[in-house]
Amino acid sequence: MSHEKRAVVDPPDSRGLRQVRVDGVTVGRAWSLRELHRLLIRSGFPKKTEPAVNPAVFWYGGGPDIWPDRPLRRRATLVLLVVGLLGSAALLVDIGLPDLFDALTFAGRVMGCMFIVGGLLQAVAAAAAFDHWSKRVFKYSGAVALAGVIIALVVCSLLLALWLQEKEFFPHCLSYISLWVWSLWATWRVCQEKPWQGIPYPRSLALGVIVSGLVAATNLAYSGLYQPTTALATTRYQVAFGTPYASPEADKPIMYVPMTVTLENTGTVPFWMLASAVTVYGKSSKFRPKQELIQDWHEGLGESQLYAAPPTSHLVYWGPLPAPGGWLNPGERVVQQRVIQLPRNAAFDYLEASGHMIAMRKDRGTVDSEFITSHWSWKPDQVTKRVDCPKCGDIGINLGRLRYNNNLLNVTRKPRYVLSILYMSDVVQDFTVLASPLDKAGKFSWHDEPESRLDIVETGTNLATVSFAQLLKQLR
C-alpha cells in the first residue's frame, strides 16, 4: 500500500541533484521539490502527497529547502551547447554533400564522406550534451560532448583560416565565424566539467585519436593536393594542310585547301577546354632583287630575308576547336577537317596556320553548363549585364559559374565565374580567360584568380606553312 512506502532524499551532488530512493530502490534524481513530487507519485505515493511535510519522506544532507540547482544558468548552457552542436552538424553536412556526390577525385569523395560522418558525430554529441546537462543517464556523455565541441573548433578554425586568405564577406561566412566564436566558449565550458574523469586510460585514448587524425590528414593531403599537382596535363594539338582540289565547276576559279586539326589529351588528367582558335593567314612579301644587305633584323620581326620585305598578313580563316565548355578525358582525341576556300589567283606567297587553346584541369573545378552559350557584343543585353569593357570593341563572351572540386574553397570564398573573351577584328582574333567573382552590380569584377590555383594553361599547335605555288602545283 502507498502509505507504507518510505522515501529517502540523499544530499545534493555537485550539480544540485538529489537522489531519491523509495523502499531502498533508486527511482531517480530531482532538481527541485516539484520534481521530487512527480517522482514520488510515479513510485506509488498519493497525488496529494506533500514531500516537505510528509513523515514518510526522510531527508539527508539538508531539508526540503536545500536545492542548490541554478536552473536558468544550466538550461541556458544546455540550449547553447545543443544548438551550437546541431548548427555545426548542419555545416559539416552542407560542406560534405557536394564533394560526396560530385567530387571528381577519389580523395575529394573521401573528404566529403569524412565531413558527413563528422556531422553525424556532432548530432550524437548534441544528444550527449543534452544528457550531460540534465540527468546524466549515460556515463560518458560529457566526453562525447567534449569530442563534439573540439571537432567544431578544429573545423571552424580551418574554415576561418581559409577565409582569411581572401577576406571576402558574403552571407555564408557568418555561419562558421559565429560557430568558431561559439566553439571557443563551448570548449572552455565543457572542459570545466572535466568529463574525461572516469574514462579508462584517457591519455592513451587521446593519443590514439590524435595519431589517427594526423595519418588521415596526411593521406588526404597527399591524394588531394600532392597527387593532382604532380599529375601531368599534356596535349597534342596539331594542324596540317592537305592536298588541294579545284572546284568542279569550270567557271569558278576557286581552290579548296583541306586542313586537319587534331587535339588529343596525352596526359593523365582530364581538362576543360575554355577557349580555342585555329587561324590561317595568307602572307605575301615584296620581292627586292637588288637588295645587298639584310636591313629588317632590327625591327624585331623574328626573321628577316635579304630579297623579301617583311610579309603582310591577311586573315583568311578563323574557327574554334572545339566549342567552349567541353572537356577531354585522358587518351581522348578530337579530329576535325576544315576546308579553306581561296581564289586561285590570290596574291599570297604562302599560307600559315596555327592554333592555340586555354584549358583548365578538370580535377581543380567544374564549370557550369551555362558557359557553353556564347554571347556577342552586338547583342548588348547579353554582354553588358555581366561584363563592363567599353574599349574592348566587338567581343564574344562565355561566362559560367566555377565550383572548386574541394568544397572547402566554395564555402570560404565568394562564388567564382570563368569568363572567356574573344576579341574580334578584321586583322586578328584573340582571346583571354579569367576567373573572378562578381561585383556588387553583378558584373565581372576582374579580380583575377591565380592561375596556379586552377591550373589554367595555354597551349599552342605547331606552325603549319605551305607555299601558294606548291598548292597550285598539287591542284587536282
Side-chain angles (χ1 to χ4, degrees):
M1 297 177 63
S2 60
H3 66 277
E4 296 178 349
K5 291 181 177 294
R6 299 291 183 269
V8 175
V9 182
D10 289 337
D13 60 13
S14 60
R15 297 185 301 143
L17 270 175
R18 303 188 73 169
Q19 184 172 272
V20 181
R21 290 172 289 148
V22 175
D23 294 337
V25 178
T26 300
V27 295
R29 291 175 291 177
W31 297 105
S32 62
L33 198 61
R34 180 181 297 179
E35 288 192 10
L36 173 61
H37 182 258
R38 289 198 294 264
L39 281 176
L40 294 180
I41 292 175
R42 287 201 300 265
S43 301
F45 278 75
K47 292 184 179 180
K48 296 183 179 180
T49 297
E50 296 185 9
V53 296
N54 194 322
V57 179
F58 299 88
W59 302 84
Y60 293 96
D65 56 337
I66 304 300
W67 300 97
D69 177 40
R70 298 179 180 178
L72 184 60
R73 180 179 178 181
R74 174 175 54 84
R75 289 168 184 169
T77 301
L78 185 150
V79 170
L80 285 174
L81 285 173
V82 172
V83 170
L85 286 168
L86 291 178
S88 176
L91 177 64
L92 290 175
V93 172
D94 181 61
I95 294 174
L97 275 178
D99 283 346
L100 179 64
F101 295 107
D102 298 327
L104 300 176
T105 62
F106 176 74
R109 293 179 183 264
V110 171
M111 186 174 292
C113 181
M114 290 181 65
F115 272 100
I116 292 177
V117 170
L120 297 177
L121 291 177
Q122 295 296 80
V124 173
F130 183 88
D131 176 73
H132 188 75
W133 264 265
S134 54
K135 298 300 180 65
R136 295 188 180 179
V137 176
F138 300 100
K139 183 178 180 180
Y140 300 123
S141 59
V144 176
L146 178 61
V149 298
I150 290 177
I151 290 175
L153 177 61
V154 171
V155 172
C156 291
S157 297
L158 172 63
L159 293 172
L160 186 61
L162 291 173
W163 178 80
L164 287 173
Q165 292 181 359
E166 300 291 339
K167 302 183 184 68
E168 296 174 346
F169 179 80
F170 59 106
H172 204 295
C173 69
L174 294 176
S175 60
Y176 48 81
I177 292 176
S178 58
L179 279 173
W180 179 76
V181 175
W182 167 87
S183 63
L184 292 175
W185 168 84
T187 303
W188 166 79
R189 183 63 187 87
V190 177
C191 285
Q192 281 188 321
E193 299 288 316
K194 298 181 179 179
W196 53 83
Q197 292 181 348
I199 299 178
Y201 310 108
R203 293 184 178 179
S204 300
L205 180 62
L207 181 62
V209 171
I210 292 173
V211 171
S212 300
L214 289 175
V215 171
T218 302
N219 288 334
L220 281 176
Y222 174 78
S223 56
L225 298 176
Y226 177 73
Q227 281 188 332
T229 301
T230 56
L232 297 178
T234 56
T235 61
R236 186 172 69 90
Y237 194 15
Q238 294 181 336
V239 293
F241 287 112
T243 303
Y245 54 92
S247 171
E249 300 180 24
D251 59 339
K252 285 187 177 181
I254 298 175
M255 174 174 57
Y256 300 96
V257 182
M259 181 177 64
T260 303
V261 185
T262 304
L263 174 62
E264 182 179 5
N265 185 348
T266 58
T268 58
V269 293
F271 58 80
W272 293 96
M273 294 170 286
L274 304 179
S276 64
V278 177
T279 56
V280 178
Y281 288 92
K283 297 199 172 187
S284 58
S285 301
K286 184 178 180 181
F287 186 58
R288 301 181 297 188
K290 297 181 180 181
Q291 193 77 6
E292 297 182 357
L293 296 172
I294 292 180
Q295 300 178 358
D296 305 317
W297 59 269
H298 58 279
E299 297 182 8
L301 300 176
E303 63 177 22
S304 299
Q305 294 193 38
L306 178 62
Y307 297 111
T312 57
S313 300
H314 297 273
L315 183 66
V316 297
Y317 173 84
W318 171 87
L321 175 79
W327 71 82
L328 217 59
N329 292 315
E332 191 174 354
R333 182 173 62 172
V334 175
V335 180
Q336 292 189 3
Q337 301 289 337
R338 307 292 173 87
V339 176
I340 305 166
Q341 300 184 41
L342 295 170
R344 280 182 270 181
N345 61 350
F348 297 140
D349 294 329
Y350 61 95
L351 299 180
E352 185 178 272
S354 64
H356 64 291
M357 176 185 67
I358 296 180
M360 182 186 78
R361 286 175 53 141
K362 199 178 177 186
D363 58 355
R364 293 303 193 196
T366 301
V367 182
D368 278 1
S369 58
E370 60 183 325
F371 186 82
I372 299 174
T373 304
S374 298
H375 305 287
W376 308 99
S377 57
W378 44 91
K379 297 179 180 179
D381 58 323
Q382 298 293 332
V383 174
T384 56
K385 284 182 180 179
R386 292 297 190 185
V387 177
D388 188 8
C389 188
K391 297 182 180 181
C392 289
D394 290 335
I395 61 173
I397 70 167
N398 294 80
L399 184 70
R401 171 73 186 277
L402 167 68
R403 287 179 172 82
Y404 293 102
N405 194 39
N406 187 339
N407 202 38
L408 283 173
L409 295 177
N410 293 323
V411 300
T412 54
R413 287 164 173 78
K414 286 183 178 180
R416 259 49 176 180
Y417 289 79
V418 175
L419 172 67
S420 172
I421 302 181
L422 174 64
Y423 302 95
M424 311 287 292
S425 74
D426 297 333
V427 179
V428 65
Q429 271 70 33
D430 197 7
F431 53 78
T432 185
V433 173
L434 301 169
S436 173
L438 301 182
D439 58 19
K440 294 181 180 179
K443 294 186 177 182
F444 198 75
S445 67
W446 305 99
H447 177 66
D448 194 14
E449 193 83 344
E451 293 182 354
S452 59
R453 183 176 293 166
L454 297 172
D455 274 353
I456 296 178
V457 295
E458 183 172 357
T459 182
T461 67
N462 60 311
L463 189 65
T465 59
V466 61
S467 69
F468 211 78
Q470 180 182 352
L471 291 174
L472 293 174
K473 184 178 180 180
Q474 294 175 344
L475 197 61
R476 293 175 296 180

